[in-house]
Amino acid sequence: MTDNGRPSAALNALQARAQLNRQIRDFMQQRGILEVETPALSQSGNTDPYIDSFSVHTRSGTRYLHTSPEYPMKRLLAAGSGDIYQLCKVWREEENGAQHNSEFSMLEYYRVGFSERRLMQEVAELLTLLLPNITIPPSYRSYQACFLETLALDPHNVSIAALQRCAAAHQIEVSGELDRQGWLDLLFTHVIEATFDPHRLSFIYHYPAEQAALAQVISQEGVAVAQRFEVYCGALELGNGYQELTDAARSAERLQQDAAQRLNQGLAPIPADLRFLAAMQAGLPRSAGIALGLDRLLLCQSGQSTLKRVISFAWELA
Amino acid sequence: MATYNTNEFRSGLKLMIDGDPYTIVDNEFVKPGKGQAFNRARVRNLKTGRTVEKTWKSGESVEAADVMDRDMEYLYSDGEFWHFMLTDGSFEQFAAPETAMTEAVKWLKGNEVCLVTLWNDAPLTVTPPNFVELQITETDPGVKGDTASGGTKPATLETGTVIKVPLYMDENEIVKIDTRNGEYVSRVKS
C-alpha cells in the first residue's frame, strides 16, 4: 500500500463539499422544496441496460443499491409530497475513471407543475450560484442542432454507414459492434462534447426517443423526441433532467423494453419496481426532475482534473 | 487465448491489436448521460513506438499480448545481436536484434541491468537503466574553475555517443547521464 491510509482529497476540497451541500439546502429551502430520504437498498433495481447496479445478498434475498433515487422519489410525488429533493450517495458498478467513481453523490430533485424548460432555467440559476467561476449565460441547444452544427448530420435521420464514415473522418477507431444509437453516442462523446465552451453551461435537450428513459416523448416536426435534457459544464456532463412521463402504461412498457434489451445483450435480469409502477397508476402529478452529480460539480468548481481530488477516499482507497 | 475486459484497462496493460503488441498509455472511461459507455485509450505500438488513440465499446474483451518485462544484464554484442542474461539466477540468455535496441545502444558498455520486454519469448524492446556512468574519451580541455557560467561543450563517451557536458569537464573523467533524455547529470568522482 503506497497511500499510507491518507485521503485522496485535500482538506479544502472537503470544506468545499460541505459548503456546496449547505448552499444547495439553502437554495431548496428558499423555494420550499422538501428534503427527503429514500432507501438505498431496494428489492428492485434500475432496469436501464447501460447502468449496472450493485447487488447485495441478504438472508431474505437479493437487494440492489440504488443508482439514483428516482423510483421511490416518484412514489413520494404520487403520494402527494409536492416538491422534493434528496442529497444522497448512489452506486453504479464498473464506472471508474477520472470522471467516474462507482460510489458518488447525487442531488435529485422534482418540481411539481414545472415544464422541462422552466426546470432548465432553475437548474441554470442553481448552477450559477454553485459555480461562481461560470459568468457567461448558458447555451441551450437541441441534440439535433448539436449534430447539425458540429457534424452536418441529422441524428434523427442518418444511416449507420454515414455515422461510421463520420467517425472515420474524425480518426476515431472503435472496436465492437455498435447499433445506430451507439454510433450517435460515440460521436457525441468523442467529438461534440469537446466543442462545448469550457467556461459555460450547455443545456442539450430533445434527445432521441429511444433514449427517453422515463421522460415524456413528444413529436417535434414529425420526429419523436424525448423531453430529456443534459446539462454540461464545459465538456463535463453534470446532470440529466426529464419532463417526467406520467402515463402509467407507457412507464411499464419502457421497463419491459429495458428488460428485453438486457436479455438481448446477455445482461443479468433486474426485477422491475412494481411498487413504482403501482404509484404511477395511482397518478404522478405533472412534474420535471433532475439528477445532478455533486462530485463533478466540485470538479468544475475546483478546476481539478480527477474526481479523486474531490472525494475523501476515492474508489480504490475506500 | 488470454483476454482482458475493458474494465481491467489500466496504464501498462499489454494488448494485441491488429497482430501487433501494444501497451496502454492512458485510458479514459467515457459515458453519455444515457447510453453506450466507451473506453477511450491511447496505446503505444511496442514494435514501432507509435502512439495512437483507440476506442472500445465498454465490456468488450481484448486479446492480451504475451509480453513480459524482465531484468537482464547486458553481456556483449556480436555486431548483429546484443546478448542479455536473466538476473534471476537462471543464466538464461536472450539475443536482441538491433530493432529492439534503438536508443539503448548509446548507453551500454557491458554489465548494465536493463529492462528487456519479451514478446512471445523474444526481446521486443530494451530499456537501459535510467542512469548510467560512462567515461569521456574525447573533449576539449577543461576550463579551470568555470563552474558557474553554465556553458557546455560536446564530449565523446566510451560508447561512442556524443553528449553535452559542462566546460570544466576533462577527458578520462566519468559522468552520470540520464538515459531518458540523454542529458548530463553530474561528475562522478573517481
Side-chain angles (χ1 to χ4, degrees):
Chain A
M1 227 163 300
T2 53
D3 52 77
N4 298 321
R6 302 213 17 104
S8 48
L11 184 60
N12 63 5
L14 306 186
Q15 289 160 342
R17 182 181 289 270
Q19 192 193 332
L20 183 88
N21 288 342
R22 262 197 312 275
Q23 284 178 300
I24 292 171
R25 289 196 162 99
D26 285 348
F27 182 94
M28 297 294 163
Q29 195 180 7
Q30 279 159 18
R31 283 164 177 74
I33 307 172
L34 179 70
E35 178 165 12
V36 296
E37 289 187 359
T38 57
L41 265 183
S42 294
Q43 296 164 73
S44 49
N46 189 347
T47 52
D48 185 323
Y50 294 107
I51 296 180
D52 280 333
S53 303
F54 283 95
S55 53
V56 177
H57 299 287
T58 74
R59 281 176 206 161
S60 53
T62 302
R63 293 234 165 193
Y64 298 88
L65 274 169
H66 66 173
T67 62
S68 92
E70 181 174 7
Y71 301 143
M73 285 183 80
K74 285 183 173 173
R75 282 164 67 187
L76 290 178
L77 287 167
S81 66
D83 299 331
I84 46 174
Y85 79 98
Q86 175 159 204
L87 288 168
C88 60
K89 282 287 189 71
V90 297
W91 292 265
R92 296 183 181 185
E93 197 158 11
E94 285 179 19
E95 292 195 7
N96 281 296
Q99 298 172 355
H100 293 83
N101 196 70
S102 276
E103 172 173 311
F104 61 104
S105 297
M106 184 176 270
L107 162 65
E108 179 143 332
Y109 88 97
Y110 292 88
R111 292 291 251 157
V112 175
F114 266 42
S115 67
E116 179 194 26
R117 192 144 275 270
R118 195 162 157 214
L119 181 65
M120 278 196 260
Q121 278 158 4
E122 190 175 68
V123 169
E125 267 178 68
L126 172 64
L127 292 178
T128 309
L129 176 80
L130 300 176
L131 299 169
N133 41 337
I134 302 284
T135 49
I136 2 177
S139 86
Y140 297 87
R141 276 195 304 169
S142 71
Y143 187 81
Q144 185 185 39
C146 290
F147 272 88
L148 286 174
E149 286 163 25
T150 314
L151 304 169
L153 293 175
D154 178 358
H156 305 307
N157 191 14
V158 63
S159 65
I160 289 189
L163 292 168
Q164 280 172 327
R165 277 197 303 275
C166 181
H170 286 86
Q171 276 93 43
I172 302 170
E173 273 191 64
V174 64
S175 287
E177 278 283 294
L178 295 175
D179 58 12
R180 200 172 149 285
Q181 187 57 49
W183 284 102
L184 290 172
D185 290 342
L186 180 79
L187 289 169
F188 201 90
T189 52
H190 284 57
V191 186
I192 294 176
E193 285 179 0
T195 66
F196 293 168
D197 186 333
H199 308 293
R200 196 174 185 190
L201 296 173
S202 296
F203 284 85
I204 315 300
Y205 57 91
H206 287 172
Y207 277 75
E210 56 202 272
Q211 291 202 317
L214 291 173
Q216 198 99 252
V217 170
I218 53 162
S219 176
Q220 191 78 4
E221 289 159 18
V223 178
V225 292
Q227 281 190 302
R228 183 167 83 75
F229 67 91
E230 292 196 11
V231 55
Y232 283 79
C233 176
L236 189 65
E237 188 228 333
L238 294 179
N240 194 0
Y242 304 162
Q243 181 73 57
E244 302 299 345
L245 179 64
T246 50
D247 186 313
R250 289 234 168 90
S251 302
E253 260 171 45
R254 301 262 174 95
L255 298 195
Q256 279 155 15
Q257 281 163 6
D258 280 353
Q261 203 182 332
R262 290 192 82 87
L263 193 69
N264 203 15
Q265 294 181 12
L267 300 169
I270 302 272
D273 192 335
L274 300 178
R275 290 189 174 89
F276 157 68
L277 291 175
M280 292 297 295
Q281 226 135 38
L284 183 74
R286 178 179 130 84
S287 47
I290 185 167
L292 285 159
L294 298 183
D295 311 276
R296 286 191 176 180
L297 247 166
L298 289 164
L299 203 60
C300 289
Q301 213 183 53
S302 64
Q304 297 280 3
S305 57
T306 161
L307 288 179
K308 287 181 182 53
R309 300 283 164 263
V310 300
I311 293 175
S312 61
F313 298 100
W315 190 244
E316 53 276 20
L317 301 185
Chain B
M1 184 181 78
T3 60
Y4 294 115
N5 187 281
T6 55
N7 62 33
E8 297 173 89
F9 277 19
R10 57 187 155 72
S11 305
L13 200 74
K14 310 290 195 293
L15 307 173
M16 285 302 292
I17 302 170
D18 303 326
D20 276 356
Y22 280 78
T23 183
I24 296 179
V25 180
D26 51 43
N27 163 56
E28 186 51 50
F29 179 77
V30 186
K31 193 177 195 294
K34 287 273 170 246
Q36 184 64 56
F38 301 99
N39 284 74
R40 190 178 189 181
R42 284 196 305 136
V43 291
R44 191 173 70 248
N45 185 319
L46 290 170
K47 279 166 77 180
T48 65
R50 275 193 58 216
T51 299
V52 293
E53 201 179 272
K54 285 273 288 178
T55 295
W56 282 266
K57 190 171 137 176
S58 290
E60 291 278 300
S61 288
V62 188
E63 189 185 342
D66 182 16
V67 169
M68 272 183 299
D69 290 330
R70 306 295 299 270
D71 281 332
M72 294 192 204
E73 185 181 334
Y74 169 55
L75 301 176
Y76 65 96
S77 166
D78 60 18
E80 191 182 357
F81 287 99
W82 280 256
H83 297 268
F84 290 85
M85 184 176 73
L86 277 176
T87 57
D88 61 3
S90 69
F91 301 105
E92 195 182 342
Q93 293 193 18
F94 291 85
E98 194 171 358
T99 51
M101 297 301 295
T102 60
E103 293 279 289
V105 296
K106 291 164 75 174
W107 315 116
L108 302 184
K109 57 171 184 174
N111 305 115
E112 295 88 352
V113 173
C114 300
L115 193 70
V116 179
T117 303
L118 295 174
W119 177 39
N120 296 334
D121 277 332
L124 183 66
T125 57
V126 173
T127 311
N130 289 345
F131 298 100
V132 291
E133 291 177 3
L134 293 167
Q135 195 170 31
I136 296 174
T137 54
E138 202 185 330
T139 192
D140 290 339
V143 181
K144 287 264 178 312
D146 185 1
T147 55
S149 76
T152 60
K153 59 181 179 179
T156 307
L157 305 173
E158 57 186 308
T159 55
T161 305
V162 179
I163 64 161
K164 283 187 178 136
V165 299
L167 294 174
Y168 56 80
M169 296 298 294
D170 251 322
E171 281 181 12
N172 299 322
E173 282 195 281
I174 295 173
V175 290
K176 182 176 177 181
I177 302 139
D178 186 335
T179 62
R180 291 164 294 186
N181 53 22
E183 280 171 18
Y184 167 92
V185 178
S186 62
R187 171 193 239 162
V188 180
K189 295 271 190 308
S190 48

